[in-house]
Amino acid sequence: MSATYRFTVNGRPAEVQGPPMARLLDVLRRDLGLTGSKEGCGEGECGACTVLLGGEAVCSCLVPLFQVEGASITTIEGIAPSDKVTELQRVFANEGGAQCGACTPGMIVTLKALLDRHPTPTREQVREYASGTLCRCTGYERIFRAIEVLTGQRSSECEPEGGPRS
Ligand code: FES
Ligand code: FES
């Protein structure tokens, strides 16, 4: 049985018709054309599909459509509107946090949730958040380093001469 659900995605109203148990991940990718959220495991284990639901990082492959009625969702496309990169994305890339890129959209969304809650997170807090997103390439060290550079807890070994670009 199909029904109409209304919610907000990246600050814009969305209206989707579908079965109540349709996966949010499919709704985003198929119905709304937001393909930045990836499918990895489809079982809530890898974090590739992470979005913010009411500011909380969730695996969109586990969220049924009926649960998002009236909710506010942010996807990777909404993290950096208007084709600009955020400082988080710039430093993340600069410090080598993105390698093959498979985990990157989910990781960036997760780290945004972390920084919204803990503007100067400890390594333990970064570890706790990042552990929800499986990264096979970086060993996580470069991700920890990126957050520490971003939050001024260490200096970059990769910044171009003259410091960060504005
Ligand atoms: S695809 Fe959703 S957690 Fe892996
Ligand atoms: S950069 Fe390859 S899985 Fe994370």
Side-chain angles (χ1 to χ4, degrees):
M1 188 187 63
S2 229
T4 301
Y5 298 92
R6 293 179 187 82
F7 47 97
T8 303
V9 182
N10 300 332
R12 293 197 180 142
E15 187 176 302
V16 170
Q17 191 146 28
M21 294 307 288
R23 303 186 313 168
L24 176 59
L25 175 61
D26 297 327
V27 169
L28 292 170
R29 291 179 56 86
R30 186 191 56 215
D31 298 293
L32 300 176
L34 296 168
T35 54
S37 307
K38 306 300 183 198
E39 173 147 19
C41 64
E43 296 178 345
E45 300 288 337
C46 73
C49 63
T50 303
V51 300
L52 302 182
L53 179 59
E56 297 290 333
V58 298
C59 294
S60 60
C61 70
L62 295 183
V63 177
L65 179 56
F66 79 87
Q67 227 175 60
V68 304
E69 171 69 25
S72 173
I73 295 162
T74 305
T75 68
I76 185 67
E77 289 90 346
I79 298 283
S82 311
D83 295 334
K84 295 202 169 96
V85 294
T86 61
E87 194 59 7
L88 167 61
Q89 289 168 308
R90 187 191 70 76
V91 175
F92 192 83
N94 203 41
E95 298 299 323
Q99 292 189 19
C100 82
C103 71
T104 304
M107 188 67 82
I108 291 288
V109 171
T110 299
L111 295 175
K112 165 91 166 74
L114 164 75
L115 292 165
D116 286 348
R117 184 156 293 181
H118 306 286
T120 313
T122 62
R123 185 167 274 225
E124 212 35 60
Q125 288 169 324
V126 183
R127 193 188 307 277
E128 187 188 322
Y129 273 71
S131 66
T133 303
L134 194 63
C135 179
R136 293 187 174 87
C137 304
T138 63
Y140 294 87
E141 180 56 33
R142 290 183 176 272
I143 293 168
F144 299 146
R145 184 189 303 184
I147 295 298
E148 287 165 2
V149 169
L150 179 72
T151 57
Q153 299 180 75
R154 70 186 289 161
S155 46
S156 174
E157 290 156 24
C158 314
E159 292 287 3
E161 247 177 79
R165 292 182 294 271
S166 56

